[in-house]
Amino acid sequence: MSNPVSICVIGSGYVGLVAAVCFAEMGHKVTCVDNDESRVKMLCAGGVPIFEAHLPELLNKHRGHGVDFTSDLRMAVEQSEAIFIAVGTPQGDTGAADLSYVEAVVSEIARAITGYKVIVEKSTVPVYTNEWIRRVLQRYGVDHELFDVVSNPEFLREGTAVIDFLHPDRIVVGAGSERPARLMERIYEPLTNGSYYAQAGALTGICNTESPAKLVLTSAQSAEIIKHASNAFLALKISFINAVANLAETVDADVEDIAEGIGLDSRIGSKFLQAGLGYGGSCFPKDVAAFHWVAQQQGLDFQLLQEVKKINDAQKDVFFNKVRSALWTLRGKKLAALGLAFKRDTDDIRDSPALDVIRRLIEAGASITAYDPAAMDRAKAVLPPSEKMKYAQGIYEAALDADAVLILTDWKEFAQLDLAQLNRAVRFPIVIDGRNLYKPNQMAEQGFTYVSIGRPATYNAQQGKPRKLVL
Ligand code: NAD
Ligand code: UGA
């Protein structure tokens, strides 16, 4: 690369680590800092702390050349032109984002600044955080000539994070002046001028040399709001289709057909209209709450966001009631749980609807045997193995003698089950699918009673359709 930038990324989590290796892949010189010494040790030793496609190969390619790992923030800041803050911003008690990790990092940066730096908010933060970062730096006595603060929110999804980063729908930069804006343009130039996509071995995705990534330059406040508004809007789409799914069920309609029918309208779009257990993960729940809080601080009651959350919370009750209706009583029932992660292709279990449902079923007296291709270790840390919570090594082992199989995460392998083998393994052929991975008729043909979201249930021939029973 002709014009590489020396970059420091603070935080080596899902966002920081991906950003660090992708900047290295784009040709920059990156130092990634984390205060979790064991994580840094693992990264230096060749380990990969999270399950994310393409991350192992990019780490292999750039570790020790394009990207280094350290817990020495001062050294990393001193040698970098741009400092990306990518630490967590979890939900606080009031719904507001807890910015204490960001503040701690900013105070450390303040002590390390000796020359001009561009400080970049990559973490998802409420509007005016940019201004607060500036104030904190000045409180610590850093001359205002020595830094600029810009907002550069991240839109990657877990599971497709590397490709999302290198092939973004858009890059948003909120900068108040020319100097930091030009540096940010330089950093993203390989994506915006398409040179990265022309490289041999470049990862492929939606961008290419003819249609490179687009950079949107705005004020810092607009960039901060773009991030919150994007997540809130996507969450709203999910809650909308879940509310429609509940209506569809009452009139024997099929939410999958409805989603296709509305999604084909190009003004609506087909993405994020998958009905299911509701959204989870480390972002939508906390960002919807934080955005609501931001509006409240400005004297506005953004009630729509409360409704989005309400529908999402209720979706787990909807699923729980389906399990109860299908099995009558739950005490003593043995259930196979397919999926623990909050969605497919990740080991992340933060705010996973699968875990919420499992906890409720255990409380109601059921016992669970769970399987997940990537998230079992993380799940064991919060739901330790016990009499009521067992972990299996594979799908059919989990299903052995089960009174019902629950599909809780949309992993591809759960959509490609060997239904004959599953039928042989279970005690009763009942599948309750929180992700709509199968067609109801197909499941009935294979001898299953099949209950899903927003679609009529189908019943195996022996059991037949039950009369509506009141629990
Ligand atoms: P994470 O919890 O996976 O990682 C945060 C990392 O920061 C941890 O490794 C932690 O040890 C480190 N850290 C905390 N304090 C530190 C300090 N003082 N010095 C050095 N390191 C420190 O978080 P994440 O999922 O990567 O999210 C980070 C931010 O990005 C959040 O604001 C989140 O909302 C946002 N975001 C996340 C995603 C996603 O898909 N996970 C996508 C877009 C934006
Ligand atoms: C989401 C956004 O998609 C990213 O753009 C954003 O950067 C990120 O949050 C963030 O700010 O952290 P992520 O949480 O990784 O990414 O995962 P998504 O694919 O958005 O899924 C979120 C949740 O919604 C999952 O539980 C998923 O199962 C659920 N979902 C998604 C549905 O129930 N239906 C859908 O149609 C889509």
Side-chain angles (χ1 to χ4, degrees):
M1 187 195 181
S2 58
N3 212 358
V5 178
S6 53
I7 293 175
C8 162
V9 178
I10 305 177
S12 66
Y14 288 87
V15 169
L17 185 54
V18 169
V21 294
C22 288
F23 283 141
E25 170 77 357
M26 287 154 63
H28 300 300
K29 181 86 192 89
V30 187
T31 310
C32 186
V33 183
D34 206 294
N35 63 356
D36 179 343
E37 302 267 359
S38 60
R39 202 174 179 92
V40 172
K41 224 171 166 180
M42 181 188 197
L43 282 161
C44 290
V48 188
I50 54 174
F51 180 93
E52 193 60 57
H54 299 295
L55 197 53
E57 72 232 41
L58 287 195
L59 270 169
N60 244 348
K61 184 169 164 193
H62 298 295
R63 194 181 344 237
H65 317 288
V67 60
D68 288 309
F69 297 96
T70 180
S71 50
D72 187 345
L73 185 140
R74 174 182 286 273
M75 180 270 293
V77 166
E78 272 172 9
Q79 66 191 26
S80 305
E81 295 166 76
I83 298 149
F84 284 74
I85 302 175
V87 297
T89 49
Q91 189 171 331
D93 297 337
T94 56
D98 172 359
L99 297 176
S100 56
Y101 298 96
V102 175
E103 190 181 7
V105 165
V106 173
S107 63
E108 280 190 75
I109 295 172
R111 287 190 281 266
I113 288 189
T114 47
Y116 177 78
K117 309 286 172 195
V118 172
I119 297 162
V120 189
E121 303 170 345
K122 193 63 152 162
S123 298
T124 302
V125 289
V127 65
Y128 287 136
T129 300
N130 197 277
E131 197 45 48
W132 273 109
I133 294 178
R134 193 185 317 277
R135 278 193 209 172
V136 169
L137 288 165
Q138 285 177 342
R139 247 179 227 167
Y140 277 89
V142 183
D143 189 324
H144 68 94
E145 303 258 308
L146 280 187
F147 69 90
D148 278 299
V149 185
V150 305
S151 166
N152 172 220
E154 183 48 57
F155 301 98
L156 64 77
R157 292 159 297 173
E158 291 178 24
T160 50
V162 168
I163 298 295
D164 286 348
F165 194 96
L166 293 168
H167 292 265
D169 286 332
R170 76 301 205 189
I171 296 157
V172 173
V173 172
S177 58
E178 283 290 308
R179 190 177 178 186
R182 295 296 84 82
L183 184 72
M184 293 301 286
E185 283 170 350
R186 226 177 94 203
I187 290 173
Y188 284 107
E189 199 169 53
L191 305 185
T192 55
N193 71 8
S195 57
Y196 170 70
Y197 310 113
Q199 267 175 39
L203 292 171
T204 52
I206 56 166
C207 300
N208 54 49
T209 46
E210 268 84 60
S211 176
K214 290 177 195 64
L215 189 146
V216 180
L217 200 54
T218 70
S219 69
Q221 288 96 302
S222 297
E224 288 164 334
I225 290 198
I226 286 170
K227 175 61 195 176
H228 265 163
S230 299
N231 273 6
F233 191 80
L234 291 169
L236 174 130
K237 273 189 101 174
I238 299 169
S239 280
F240 182 84
I241 199 65
N242 281 330
V244 171
N246 295 333
L247 173 64
E249 258 179 50
T250 64
V251 296
D252 275 347
D254 182 327
V255 73
E256 296 298 321
D257 293 344
I258 296 169
E260 188 186 0
I262 57 181
L264 282 170
D265 183 327
S266 59
R267 293 167 302 174
I268 297 173
S270 59
K271 292 180 182 159
F272 278 68
L273 286 181
Q274 180 59 59
L277 288 176
Y279 58 80
S282 67
C283 294
F284 283 174
K286 78 155 168 71
D287 290 343
V288 169
F291 199 30
H292 184 261
W293 180 87
V294 162
Q296 223 170 25
Q297 293 306 297
Q298 302 305 318
L300 303 169
D301 187 4
F302 203 157
Q303 278 184 33
L304 180 64
L305 297 180
Q306 274 175 308
E307 208 51 43
V308 167
K309 174 181 169 5
K310 210 165 108 190
I311 295 169
N312 197 56
D313 291 345
Q315 208 54 21
K316 284 174 281 261
D317 301 336
V318 166
F319 187 80
F320 178 83
N321 288 333
K322 281 176 187 288
V323 180
R324 220 164 45 119
S325 301
L327 296 175
W328 187 20
T329 65
L330 291 171
R331 191 159 297 282
K333 292 280 157 64
K334 187 172 180 299
L335 304 174
L338 300 187
L340 295 160
F342 82 100
K343 62 171 204 176
R344 68 167 176 257
D345 299 332
T346 179
D347 59 352
D348 199 344
I349 53 156
R350 289 179 287 181
D351 248 317
S352 170
L355 295 195
D356 283 349
V357 166
I358 287 173
R359 283 196 188 96
R360 277 194 67 178
L361 291 167
I362 291 176
E363 271 169 32
S367 69
I368 305 285
T369 306
Y371 171 71
D372 187 287
M376 300 227 282
D377 287 345
R378 287 188 197 273
K380 280 177 192 168
V382 295
L383 275 178
S386 67
E387 182 101 10
K388 296 263 175 201
M389 182 69 206
K390 298 198 171 69
Y391 292 87
Q393 287 313 305
I395 294 170
Y396 305 98
E397 185 190 323
L400 204 62
D401 290 329
D403 290 298
V405 175
L406 316 181
I407 302 180
L408 303 179
T409 307
D410 54 342
W411 282 97
K412 208 168 162 193
E413 53 227 271
F414 299 161
Q416 297 168 342
L417 296 172
D418 178 336
L419 294 173
Q421 191 179 349
L422 188 73
N423 208 333
R424 283 194 299 276
V426 293
R427 181 157 178 238
F428 297 118
I430 301 172
V431 172
I432 305 161
D433 182 357
R435 299 292 187 163
N436 286 3
L437 299 185
Y438 290 90
K439 297 225 177 298
N441 287 339
Q442 170 200 9
M443 293 303 274
E445 278 160 22
Q446 295 290 326
F448 287 95
T449 287
Y450 179 69
V451 180
S452 57
I453 307 283
R455 301 184 296 178
T458 47
Y459 300 90
N460 82 351
Q462 257 185 348
Q463 288 200 332
K465 183 172 179 168
R467 281 182 297 167
K468 252 204 154 86
L469 300 172
V470 179
L471 288 171

